[in-house]
Amino acid sequence: MVFERHLEDNLFLLHDDLANGRFTHGPYHPFTVFDPKQRSIHKANVRDRVVHQAAMNVIDPLFEPRFIFDSYSCRVGKGTHAAVARLRTFLRQASFNNTRTVYALTCDIRKFFASVDHGILADLLRLRIGDERILRLLGNIIGSFSDAPGKGIPLGNLTSQLFANVYLHELDRFVKHELRLRHYLRYCDDFVSLAASPADAQAKATRINSFLSERLKLTLHPGKVVVRTWTQGIDFVGYVLLPHATVLRTKTAKRMLRRATIENLSSYMGLCVHADAQFLSRTLRHKVWERHVDVTRLRG
């Protein structure tokens, strides 16, 4: 509201600073969210967020066409639900409609956003961007935050979403061109690949971890390298895929039942729509109705 009150003046001043190379990124406002695990979010001020959006408008078209089809985070027409549908298609193909056992390797990169190397990210951006002014601006944005010297991009920046995809596109290329994996997809720093055996899956994980360490200075989370069959259930981006159903995680369902209110019910119903969760949907509506009646009685 403060920025908008003098919107035209603020935008002209911002334009002048950008055009003359005087722009300097401001400090962040940190806060913590629980979704459900604890995450530290760093919010830029409005002026800086305008610059983030303007930068995205310019650089996103340079990178978007180069990303692999099966990268699903923060891209138009993608998202978690599309990723789950694609994984189910992969499972059907690889298992010949569940007539042959197939193994899924799911992995998570350890502290990804906090571990992004500023120098490597800048070099990857430079490969596609030839304008030095844009590169200096992006360097300003990258350097505005660090978890450790020369490391980290903030959860909360619009640009961080693209930076993450640019950074991990190197992993996608390695998996596709070096490992030649057909059944692979990634959602930000979570990814899944199908394998013929547990040994094959573990071998893939070892090679991927070596590449991440040598090329991107990242490592796989050792507690989140999991190999499971489709029958056992494959946990990915909040859903568990089984041969004849897609269900929500048990922890997610319990949290929804505990927190459901009239205000957030439609959001929870949206999650249920993309899973086989008819019983959970009915239970949520019933619990919300009961709580609403109880509150109405207390107020009466």
Side-chain angles (χ1 to χ4, degrees):
M1 290 172 63
V2 172
F3 189 88
E4 193 175 26
R5 190 175 301 155
H6 303 287
L7 181 62
E8 188 171 296
D9 290 341
N10 285 329
L11 290 178
F12 274 112
L13 288 171
L14 179 57
H15 174 269
D16 287 344
D17 285 346
L18 289 167
N20 295 311
R22 294 193 303 263
F23 172 79
T24 301
H25 201 286
Y28 291 88
H29 169 65
F31 61 95
T32 302
V33 299
F34 299 87
D35 66 341
K37 67 180 180 180
Q38 181 175 325
R39 296 180 187 274
S40 296
I41 307 297
H42 290 77
K43 183 176 72 172
N45 62 44
V46 175
R47 184 174 188 267
D48 292 338
R49 295 206 300 272
V50 172
V51 173
H52 296 172
Q53 181 65 68
M56 285 286 290
N57 292 345
V58 172
I59 66 174
D60 185 66
L62 300 177
F63 291 96
E64 174 62 28
R66 297 181 62 82
F67 296 149
I68 66 169
F69 180 86
D70 288 311
S71 167
Y72 286 87
S73 176
C74 304
R75 299 178 65 197
V76 176
K78 303 293 184 176
T80 56
H81 302 135
V84 169
R86 180 67 163 172
L87 179 54
R88 179 165 289 280
T89 297
F90 281 170
L91 289 163
R92 283 200 303 267
Q93 291 174 348
S95 68
F96 293 93
N97 286 324
N98 202 30
T99 60
R100 186 175 71 181
T101 301
V102 63
Y103 296 87
L105 166 70
T106 56
C107 300
D108 178 279
I109 296 173
R110 186 175 183 272
K111 295 183 178 179
F112 168 67
F113 281 90
S115 302
V116 170
D117 184 275
H118 290 183
I120 294 174
L121 175 58
D123 288 343
L124 292 174
L125 293 171
R126 185 175 291 276
L127 288 175
R128 300 298 304 165
I129 300 171
D131 191 311
E132 287 297 327
R133 296 174 303 168
I134 297 295
L135 289 169
R136 283 196 297 271
L137 173 62
L138 296 178
N140 194 320
I141 294 172
I142 294 168
S144 67
F145 176 87
S146 63
D147 273 293
K151 295 274 190 178
I153 54 177
L155 281 167
N157 272 8
L158 180 64
T159 49
S160 293
Q161 300 170 2
L162 177 61
F163 291 163
N165 278 336
V166 170
Y167 207 82
L168 290 179
H169 178 63
E170 299 305 299
L171 168 63
D172 299 339
R173 291 179 61 210
F174 171 76
V175 167
K176 288 295 185 181
H177 296 295
E178 298 296 326
L179 299 185
R180 297 184 178 278
L181 301 185
R182 177 185 176 190
H183 297 121
Y184 161 89
L185 59 86
R186 179 177 61 80
Y187 185 92
C188 196
D189 60 331
D190 294 323
F191 58 92
V192 60
S193 174
L194 303 187
S197 68
D200 181 33
Q202 290 293 348
K204 287 180 170 66
T206 299
R207 291 194 63 185
I208 288 171
N209 198 42
S210 295
F211 170 81
L212 288 171
S213 176
E214 294 168 8
R215 177 70 179 92
L216 300 175
K217 297 183 181 180
L218 301 171
T219 58
L220 295 178
H221 194 302
K224 296 183 179 179
V225 176
V226 179
V227 180
R228 291 176 67 87
T229 66
W230 194 6
T231 303
Q232 290 174 314
I234 299 164
D235 188 332
F236 188 61
V237 295
Y239 293 89
V240 178
L241 285 80
L242 296 157
H244 304 294
T246 298
V247 299
L248 289 164
R249 291 171 178 162
T250 302
K251 289 193 295 185
T252 302
K254 289 181 177 179
R255 188 170 67 252
M256 290 165 64
L257 289 168
R258 188 172 63 251
R259 297 181 179 179
T261 64
I262 288 178
E263 288 75 20
N264 62 25
L265 181 61
S266 61
S267 177
Y268 287 162
M269 289 296 102
L271 287 175
C272 292
V273 163
H274 295 277
D276 298 289
Q278 293 82 1
F279 178 76
L280 176 60
S281 297
R282 289 196 300 270
T283 305
L284 280 168
R285 287 195 293 266
H286 182 68
K287 281 191 172 291
V288 167
W289 173 252
E290 282 185 334
R291 289 167 186 166
H292 176 68
V293 169
D294 289 342
V295 170
T296 302
R297 284 173 180 168
L298 286 172
R299 289 175 178 174

